[in-house]
Amino acid sequence: MKGELHIPDLPEVPVVLSPHIGPPAEGERRVRPRWSNRLRESITGYLPLLLMTLLALGTWLVAKNTPGLLAPSVPGAVGHEPDYTLDHFTLQRFDPTGALKVEIEGDRMQHFPDNETMEVEKIRVVAIEPDGRRMTATALHGRAKDDSSEVWLDGQAQVVSEMKDELPIQMNGEHLRAEPKLKLVESDSPVIVQQGSSEFHAEGLLYDHGTRILTLRGQAHALLQPALRSAAAAKHTGK
C-alpha cells in the first residue's frame, strides 16, 4: 500500500539582501562638547586641589618673609636687669644657733637674677665670728653675691679687722674684695694699711682675718711708730 504526503504550496516571500550600510546622516552623529566646556569641567574638578596648593604656597611665603618665624626656637638670653629694688635696707644672716653672722646694709640695693648678685650704694658689711672677731667693710658702691660669699668694694673702700685685746687693722683703697666666709681681704690696687700709729703703703695686699697675717704686694714701704713697737715689746716681755 502506497502512501503519499501532499504539502501545500507556500506563498512566495521576497528576500532582499541588505547592501553595505553607509555612515549615519549628519543629524544622527553624536555631538561632542566644545573645548571650552571641557576645560571648564576640568578646572571645576581640580579646583579644591588648586585652592589647597595656593593656600600652602601663600603660608610658606608669609613664613619665609617674617623675620625669625622659621628660625629654630632658642631660649632668649637673660638681660642684666634688676628684678627688685630696696631703699635703706638691712639684710641679716644667722647661724644655726641664731647668732648674727653677716649683716649687709645700704642706701639703695638692686638685685640681678642673671648673675645672682646685688649692687648696693653706700654699702656696709659686718661679718661676726663666734669667738667675737669682727670684720667691717664699707664703700661708696658695693657688689655682693646672694650668699654673701664675695663682696666687691669700690670708691673709698675700707675694711677693718677687729679682735679682742688686739689693735684693729684698717685697710683702705679704691678697690677691695672681701670673702667673709673665707675671712680674706684682697686687692690689686694701691692700698694703705693702718694698725695703731703705724702705716703701710703697698700696690696690693692679701689679708687673712683668721690668722691676722697681712701680705703686702708690689713695692711697699712702712712707717712704724715707736708707740706700736713699745707696746709690742711690752706684750712680748709679758709673755
Side-chain angles (χ1 to χ4, degrees), residues 39-156:
L39 179 61
R40 184 169 57 251
E41 292 176 358
S42 299
I43 293 177
T44 302
Y46 287 99
L47 184 59
L49 180 60
L50 290 174
L51 291 176
M52 293 180 63
T53 303
L54 291 175
L55 180 61
L57 179 61
T59 303
W60 180 80
L61 289 175
V62 171
K64 182 180 179 182
N65 291 279
T66 302
L69 189 59
L70 295 180
S73 179
V74 294
V78 179
H80 189 65
E81 297 292 336
D83 55 352
Y84 64 85
T85 302
L86 297 176
D87 292 328
H88 304 289
F89 76 99
T90 299
L91 173 65
Q92 294 178 326
R93 297 185 184 277
F94 300 87
D95 64 14
T97 65
L100 180 63
K101 189 175 182 180
V102 178
E103 180 179 83
I104 302 176
E105 62 182 18
D107 287 357
R108 181 179 178 83
M109 186 266 281
Q110 291 182 309
H111 181 262
F112 296 88
D114 60 325
N115 56 4
E116 298 181 345
T117 61
M118 61 185 79
E119 295 187 6
V120 184
E121 300 300 326
K122 293 187 178 180
I123 188 173
R124 182 175 182 269
V125 182
V126 179
I128 303 174
E129 299 298 324
D131 59 2
R133 286 179 296 176
R134 175 188 296 258
M135 185 165 64
T136 304
T138 59
L140 295 179
H141 179 78
R143 183 164 53 93
K145 287 189 174 181
D146 285 352
D147 59 357
S148 305
S149 60
E150 285 187 81
V151 180
W152 293 268
L153 306 168
D154 299 299
Q156 300 179 20

